[in-house]
């Protein structure tokens, strides 16, 4: 508890404090307890044992009435304040409870109540000691307060004295201000007297100012810039001498100095703007203008005038004049005229730089760095001019190409900015590119787009001219070797190759773009060529436009395809991927197949009527039918000699294959059935003779024997020549091994041709096709039987698994 709340030790006052028992007790320290003196008898009675009751244990619970009576409390009207916060009140309650618990333990036995008086006197002494100490502390606090009050009184007296002194000083100052106001007219008179004195001294010079201004204007008009600047400086010096004494007063006589200085500055700018011409014609005037700008840059004045900054204006005039000379007029060129303008710049800009280095640089201070200034000014002007050109109307292909080549190669080349004569003074390494990557991309796309349109038009025109010749009364032209020849392949490749080669002079990116465009247009041309062939063939077959030399012109186009195929590699630039030509090569192969197909269709149109009578009884007894076929084939193929290799070999092989296929188709139609062994032998012999005749025919035409299909007739001959039908299964299996694409229908048709095969033998022979290992189609295998249609066989000849089952 706060010791300040203990009252004086008087009866009925603030309670005494019970703290610890005397040291003679063995119970040890106990909690402190505060009890009122009036509560001691009640406490004694409560703790005293009665004869009839049992001893009360220290930890036993008391009834609520006893606890309430034992709670210590302050008497009414006590001066001790209550707790200032809840924690203090809780602490007091805990202390009272602990004290009661201690007291109940101490005074549990009656013999201990005898010492209650000792406890009382001990606590009285202790309370008196505490009160004495509190009085001492309070007395020391009161003495400190008394000392502070005395010091405050002394400070207040000092402040009062200082305030009185300040009031006296303020009064004195107020009197001095009033005295100063009386002297103001006198000061004004003194200032006017001083100004009049200065004006009287400078009056002769001030009278000469208008004449000096007029003289200076005359000097400026005569371009005597140094003399004019000296006169201007004298006038400005006189203005400074009058400005300070007059207190910043501006005399009307000096009003013309501002326009005069501006006129001199404009004269300096005008001289700097034609520095190149002055360096050749009047270098003294250029030197005077530069010196005036430099001297004025170092001049300082006390006048409150804006800075003239003639040095900056002089440098700016040098740059603007140089740009105006070469790039002052808007660039409006006719299509194709850009190359001439660029060529003129190629001559003019190096000459301008040479003039700057030889004539202008000696007329200017070294820090002007005239050669570098000239190079960078010309470069920036040219760059801005080209940007305006690109923002204008769309350039043509020739202009775009010329601009790309000039900016990327000529401008930075040894003839211009890369010239060794410039030296390090030009500092061209710090120049920005004339064209940004976006500009280059724009020009390249523009060039490729327009070139693509032109190339497409050129190729279409060449194709139209070639197609127009297909219906002529004359045969196709031939070269010195006798082969069909046309300038069309050379024209197509020349158009494409020249565009690719020329773009290599600009950049690899442009060359790649044009190379891709050329291959794309070549593919489009091949498709258009193929479509034109189809229209040409359709019109001829329908009779709408009969071509007198239909087949020769088809063969001539085969030579064109061979020429393109053998020369298309010239379109491949160095470093390009080999796979770029794959689409074009595929298109050329497709064109070759289409031409061959059209030629073979024409051959079929002539041979089909002859094969209608084969096989027949006449065919068994006479070779006339095949003689007619061979005669027609030789007559048709006589123009093949005008086709170049390897196309002629392909054409002959396809022609021989076509004849053999027609022969097989005729055999499979079932128009002939042998009526005995003699006819089978005769038919087998005819197949052998026909195979030999076809072989000799195409050997004579130049076809290699290894690629001929006629030997298939010998295999059929063996099938017909077999005497024992029971062995047909072996023969059919052998035929299947040689020709994997032979089917049951084909074998059944051949067995029908024999005419002596029973149903069981047919089934056994056909089952041999399914027995044994199935042959695999080799890479070089050429289909034969799969291209030969067979009439639907009778149901009696079908296997259970056949197509008619």
């Amino acid at each position: 508890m706060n010791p300040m709340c203990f009252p004086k030790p008087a009866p009925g006052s603030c309670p005494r404090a019970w703290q610890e028992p005397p040291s003679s007790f063995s119970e040890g320290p106990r909690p402190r307890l505060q009890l009122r003196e009036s509560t001691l008898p009640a406490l004694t009675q409560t703790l005293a044992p009665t004869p009839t009751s049992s001893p009360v244990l220290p930890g036993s619970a008391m009834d609520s009435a006893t606890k309430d009576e034992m709670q210590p409390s302050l008497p009414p009207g006590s001066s001790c304040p209550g707790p200032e916060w809840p924690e203090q009140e809780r602490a007091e309650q805990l202390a009272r409870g602990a004290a009661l618990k201690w007291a109940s333990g101490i005074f549990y036995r009656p013999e201990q109540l005898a010492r209650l008086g000792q406890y009382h006197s001990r606590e009285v002494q202790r309370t008196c000691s505490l009160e004495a100490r509190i009085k001492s502390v309070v007395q020391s606090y009161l003495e400190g307060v008394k000392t502070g009050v005395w010091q405050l009184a002394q400070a207040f007296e000092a402040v009062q004295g200082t305030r009185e002194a300040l009031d006296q000083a303020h009064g004195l100052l107020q009197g001095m201000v009033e005295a100063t106001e009386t002297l103001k007219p006198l000061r004004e008179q003194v200032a006017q007297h001083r100004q009049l004195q200065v004006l009287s001294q400078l009056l002769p010079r001030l009278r000469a100012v208008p004449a000096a201004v007029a003289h200076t204007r005359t000097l400026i008009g005569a371009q005597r810039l140094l003399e004019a600047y000296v006169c201007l400086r004298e006038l400005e010096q006189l203005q400074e001498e009058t400005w300070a004494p007059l207190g910043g007063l501006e005399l009307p006589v000096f009003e013309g100095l501002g326009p005069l200085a501006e006129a001199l500055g404009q004269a300096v700018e005008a001289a700097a703007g034609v520095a190149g011409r002055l360096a050749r014609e009047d270098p003294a005037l250029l030197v005077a203008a530069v010196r005036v700008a430099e001297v004025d840059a170092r001049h300082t004045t006390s006048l409150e005038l804006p800075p003239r900054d003639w040095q900056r204006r002089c440098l700016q005039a040098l740059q603007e004049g140089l740009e105006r000379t070469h790039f002052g007029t808007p660039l409006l060129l006719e299509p194709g005229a850009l190359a001439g303008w660029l060529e003129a710049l190629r001559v003019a800009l190096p000459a301008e730089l040479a003039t700057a280095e030889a004539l202008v640089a000696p007329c200017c201070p070294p820090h002007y760095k005239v050669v570098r200034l000239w190079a960078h000014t010309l470069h920036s002007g040219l760059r801005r001019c080209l940007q305006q050109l690109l923002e204008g109307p769309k350039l043509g292909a020739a202009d775009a190409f010329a601009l790309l080549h000039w900016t990327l190669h000529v401008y930075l080349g040894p003839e211009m900015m890369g010239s060794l004569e410039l030296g390090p003074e030009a500092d061209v390494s710090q120049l920005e590119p004339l064209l940004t990557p976006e500009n280059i991309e724009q020009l390249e796309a523009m060039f490729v787009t327009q070139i693509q349109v032109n190339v497409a038009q050129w190729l279409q025109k060449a194709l139209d001219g070639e197609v127009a010749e297909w219906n002529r009364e004359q045969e196709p032209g031939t070269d010195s070797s006798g082969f069909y020849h046309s300038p069309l392949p050379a024209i197509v490749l020349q158009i494409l190759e020249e565009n690719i080669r020329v773009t290599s002079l600009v950049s690899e990116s442009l060359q790649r773009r044009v190379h891709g465009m050329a291959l794309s247009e070549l593919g489009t041309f091949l498709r258009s060529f193929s479509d034109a062939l189809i229209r040409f063939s359709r019109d001829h077959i329908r009779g709408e436009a009969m071509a007198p030399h239909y087949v020769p012109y088809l063969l001539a186009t085969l030579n064109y395809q061979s020429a393109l195929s053998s020369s298309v590699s010239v379109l491949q630039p160095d470093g390009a991927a080999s796979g770029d030509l794959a689409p074009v090569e595929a298109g050329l192969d497709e064109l070759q197949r289409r031409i061959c197909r059209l030629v073979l269709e024409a051959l079929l149109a002539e041979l089909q009527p002859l094969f209608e009578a084969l096989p027949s009884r006449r065919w068994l007894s006479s070779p006339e039918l095949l003689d007619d076929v061979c005669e027609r084939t030789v007559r048709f193929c006589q123009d093949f000699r005008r086709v170049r290799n390897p196309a002629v070999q392909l054409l002959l092989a396809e022609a021989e294959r076509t004849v053999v296929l027609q022969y097989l188709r005729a055999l499979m139609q079932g128009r002939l059935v042998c009526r005995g062994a003699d006819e089978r032998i005769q038919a087998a012999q005819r197949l052998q003779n026909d195979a030999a005749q076809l072989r000799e025919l195409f050997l004579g035409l130049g076809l290699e024997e290894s690629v001929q299909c006629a030997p298939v007739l010998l295999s059929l001959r063996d099938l017909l020549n077999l005497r024992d039908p029971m062995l047909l299964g072996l023969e059919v299996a052998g035929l299947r091994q040689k020709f994997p694409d032979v089917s049951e229908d084909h074998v059944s048709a051949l067995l029908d041709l024999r005419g002596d095969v029973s149903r069981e033998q047919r089934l056994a022979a056909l089952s041999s096709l399914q027995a044994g290992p199935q042959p695999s189609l080799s890479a070089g295998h050429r289909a034969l039987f799969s291209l030969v249609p067979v009439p639907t066989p009778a149901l009696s000849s079908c296997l259970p698994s056949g197509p008619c089952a």
Side-chain angles (χ1 to χ4, degrees):
M1 296 178 61
N2 191 346
M4 295 292 293
C5 57
F6 282 104
K8 294 181 180 181
S13 63
C14 191
R16 305 275 194 259
W18 294 81
Q19 294 183 358
E20 295 179 349
S23 57
S24 58
F25 289 93
S26 60
E27 284 82 359
R30 296 289 184 178
R32 298 182 179 179
L33 178 66
Q34 293 181 350
L35 297 174
R36 290 173 20 185
E37 293 180 358
S38 58
T39 61
L40 290 178
L43 180 61
T44 304
Q45 295 177 1
T46 303
L47 295 178
T50 58
T52 60
S53 63
S54 60
V56 180
L57 296 177
S60 61
M62 304 179 186
D63 55 1
S64 59
T66 306
K67 289 183 178 180
D68 293 341
E69 187 179 358
M70 293 177 62
Q71 283 291 337
S73 61
L74 293 177
S78 174
S79 62
C80 182
E84 297 181 1
W85 51 80
E87 289 78 3
Q88 181 181 356
E89 181 179 0
R90 180 173 176 81
E92 290 179 357
Q93 292 176 356
L94 293 175
R96 290 191 183 112
L100 288 175
K101 186 177 180 180
W102 175 78
S104 63
I106 291 297
F107 301 110
Y108 172 70
R109 288 175 295 182
E111 60 270 14
Q112 291 178 341
L113 293 177
R115 299 182 181 178
L116 184 60
Q118 296 178 4
Y119 281 111
H120 177 70
S121 60
R122 185 182 184 91
E123 290 302 324
V124 169
Q125 293 176 1
R126 190 170 295 177
T127 299
C128 294
S129 175
L130 288 175
E131 289 176 352
R133 291 171 62 185
I134 289 172
K135 289 180 180 180
S136 176
V137 171
V138 171
Q139 185 66 30
S140 63
Y141 284 166
L142 292 176
E143 290 177 357
V145 170
K146 181 179 180 180
T147 302
V149 171
W150 178 81
Q151 290 177 351
L152 289 174
Q154 294 295 323
F156 179 74
E157 292 178 359
V159 169
Q160 289 292 338
T162 303
R163 180 179 297 175
E164 293 175 358
L166 289 175
D167 291 340
Q168 294 177 1
H170 179 70
L172 293 175
L173 290 175
Q174 192 68 27
M176 293 178 65
V177 169
E178 294 175 357
T180 303
E181 290 294 331
T182 58
L183 296 177
K184 185 175 181 180
L186 181 60
R187 285 200 303 272
E188 293 177 356
Q189 294 294 330
V190 171
Q192 294 177 1
H193 177 72
R194 187 178 301 168
Q195 292 176 358
L196 291 175
Q197 183 180 5
V198 172
L199 290 176
S200 63
Q201 294 176 355
L202 299 177
L203 187 60
R205 298 171 62 186
L206 293 176
R207 288 177 178 176
V209 168
V213 171
H215 178 65
T216 305
R217 289 189 178 276
T218 303
L219 293 177
I220 294 174
Q223 293 188 340
R224 296 162 61 182
L225 302 182
L226 285 177
E227 298 178 24
Y229 183 71
V230 171
C231 295
L232 178 64
R233 287 296 304 120
E234 291 177 354
L235 291 173
E236 291 178 344
Q237 183 66 31
L238 178 61
Q239 185 182 16
E240 290 182 14
E241 293 178 2
T242 60
W243 183 78
L246 294 180
L249 179 64
E250 185 71 28
L251 296 178
V253 72
F254 294 112
E255 291 179 354
L257 292 187
L260 183 65
E262 182 61 25
L264 181 57
Q266 292 178 358
V268 170
E269 285 186 88
V274 291
R277 180 176 62 80
L278 289 180
R280 291 187 294 269
E281 300 174 0
D282 189 5
L285 178 58
L286 177 60
V287 172
V290 173
R291 289 186 62 187
V292 168
E294 289 297 309
V295 172
D296 189 74
R298 296 190 295 269
H299 170 67
T300 58
T301 179
S302 59
L303 297 176
E304 297 179 356
L305 298 176
R308 290 194 286 251
D309 202 5
W310 284 355
Q311 185 183 41
R312 180 190 58 80
R313 293 170 61 181
C314 180
L315 289 174
Q316 185 175 356
L318 284 173
Q319 297 175 347
E320 292 177 354
L322 189 59
E323 290 187 7
R324 185 168 53 252
T325 301
H326 296 281
F327 315 109
T329 58
L331 189 60
L332 299 175
L333 299 174
E334 296 295 329
L338 182 60
W341 181 73
L342 294 175
E343 178 62 21
L345 286 180
R346 186 191 66 80
V347 177
L349 296 187
E352 189 69 46
L353 291 174
T355 300
E357 185 175 10
L359 301 178
V360 181
C363 300
C364 300
H367 67 270
Y368 272 40
K369 298 181 180 179
V370 172
V371 179
R372 183 181 182 277
L373 177 66
W374 246 243
H376 285 248
T377 302
L378 290 173
H379 179 80
S380 61
L382 177 60
R383 191 170 186 268
R384 185 164 50 254
C385 186
L386 293 182
Q387 293 295 328
Q388 295 174 357
L389 178 65
L390 293 178
E391 294 173 359
K394 189 176 182 180
L395 297 178
D399 290 339
F401 180 84
L403 183 57
L404 281 171
H405 181 263
W406 192 85
T407 54
L408 296 179
H409 298 281
V410 177
Y411 181 72
L412 296 177
E415 297 181 358
M416 294 190 69
M417 293 303 180
S419 176
L420 297 176
E421 297 179 357
L422 287 178
E425 294 84 4
D427 195 15
V428 295
S429 61
Q430 301 299 322
L431 297 178
E432 293 180 312
L434 280 180
L435 298 177
T436 63
E438 292 78 12
N439 298 144
I440 295 176
E441 173 73 19
Q442 175 187 355
L443 286 173
E444 288 185 354
M446 187 184 306
F447 174 78
V448 173
T449 300
Q450 298 189 19
I451 284 295
Q452 186 172 7
V453 174
N454 296 338
V455 168
Q457 293 176 353
W458 295 335
L459 295 180
Q460 186 62 40
K461 186 179 297 184
L463 178 60
D464 293 341
E466 183 66 26
V467 171
E469 294 184 357
W470 291 349
N471 293 315
R472 293 191 309 171
E473 296 293 336
Q474 303 176 11
E475 289 188 356
T478 58
D479 57 10
S480 58
S481 301
F483 298 107
Y484 289 133
H485 173 73
S486 172
L488 178 64
I491 292 174
V492 170
L493 292 176
Q494 182 181 5
I495 291 173
L496 301 178
E497 191 270 335
E498 283 184 356
N499 283 282
I500 296 175
R501 179 178 52 81
V502 169
T503 53
S504 64
L505 302 176
V506 176
S507 63
E508 292 184 3
S509 62
L510 182 60
Q511 187 180 28
R512 287 194 300 270
R513 284 171 176 261
V514 175
H515 176 250
M517 179 274 299
L519 296 182
S520 175
E521 288 303 316
L522 181 56
T524 303
F525 171 79
L526 293 177
R527 290 189 293 272
S528 300
F529 194 92
S530 180
D531 295 340
L533 282 174
I534 294 175
R535 290 193 298 271
F536 174 62
S537 176
R538 184 182 64 242
D539 295 343
H540 175 75
I541 294 173
R542 293 177 179 178
E544 298 177 359
M546 293 294 294
H549 302 283
Y550 173 70
V551 174
Y553 275 104
L554 289 179
L555 298 176
T557 58
L558 198 59
N559 274 349
Y560 308 161
Q561 183 274 340
S562 299
L564 287 173
S565 181
S566 61
S567 304
V568 72
S569 59
V570 301
L571 302 180
Q572 191 78 346
D574 296 337
S578 59
D580 294 345
L581 294 178
V584 176
E585 292 173 348
L588 288 170
D589 293 341
E590 177 62 26
L591 178 62
Q592 185 185 57
R593 287 190 294 270
R594 177 158 293 179
I595 296 172
C596 290
R597 189 180 308 116
L598 294 176
V599 173
L600 297 177
E601 287 176 358
L603 176 60
L604 282 176
E606 293 193 16
L607 296 182
Q608 276 181 348
L610 300 179
F611 280 105
E612 292 295 332
L614 188 151
S616 63
R617 304 295 173 187
R618 181 185 172 191
W619 168 72
L620 289 175
S621 59
S622 174
E624 292 179 2
L625 294 179
L626 190 63
D627 290 343
D628 294 340
V629 171
C630 292
E631 182 182 354
R632 291 278 188 94
T633 302
V634 169
R635 188 168 58 249
F636 186 88
C637 297
Q638 65 181 353
D639 290 332
F640 285 9
R641 67 182 184 275
R642 300 184 184 277
V643 179
R644 292 182 179 274
N645 278 323
V648 64
Q649 288 295 319
L650 174 64
L651 198 57
L652 286 172
E654 291 298 326
E656 191 262 350
R657 184 163 171 260
T658 301
V659 173
V660 173
L661 286 174
Q662 290 301 311
Y663 196 103
L664 293 176
R665 181 192 294 265
L667 289 179
M668 300 298 169
Q669 295 303 312
R671 289 193 290 262
L672 175 66
V673 176
C674 295
R675 292 178 292 191
D678 294 338
E679 286 190 359
R680 283 193 297 274
I681 295 173
Q682 193 175 1
Q685 186 65 34
R686 175 54 55 200
L687 288 175
Q688 181 177 357
N689 294 338
D690 291 349
Q693 190 173 358
L694 292 176
R695 171 179 172 276
E696 294 299 328
L697 168 66
F698 284 99
L699 283 177
L701 292 175
L703 180 63
E704 298 177 359
E705 185 177 2
S706 60
V707 297
Q708 293 187 13
C709 299
V712 69
L713 301 180
L714 299 179
S715 299
L716 301 183
R717 178 209 63 181
D718 296 338
L719 186 62
L720 291 177
N721 205 24
L722 186 64
R723 296 180 181 275
D724 186 2
M726 301 300 294
L727 300 177
L728 285 175
L730 295 176
E731 197 65 35
V732 170
L735 181 65
R736 181 63 178 274
Q737 292 299 322
K738 294 179 182 179
F739 304 98
D741 59 337
V742 68
S743 66
E744 295 177 357
D745 293 339
H746 295 120
V747 174
S748 181
L750 293 174
L751 296 180
D752 289 341
L753 180 61
R754 282 182 59 92
D756 63 340
V757 181
S758 64
R759 187 174 186 276
E760 291 77 9
Q761 292 170 349
R762 181 187 301 271
L763 293 176
L766 294 178
S767 62
S768 64
L769 291 176
Q770 304 297 332
Q774 297 297 319
S776 59
L777 296 177
S778 60
H781 172 74
R782 301 178 66 191
L784 280 176
F785 287 97
S786 59
L787 301 177
V788 177
V790 181
T792 303
L795 294 177
S796 60
S797 63
C798 287
L799 290 174
S801 61
C804 58

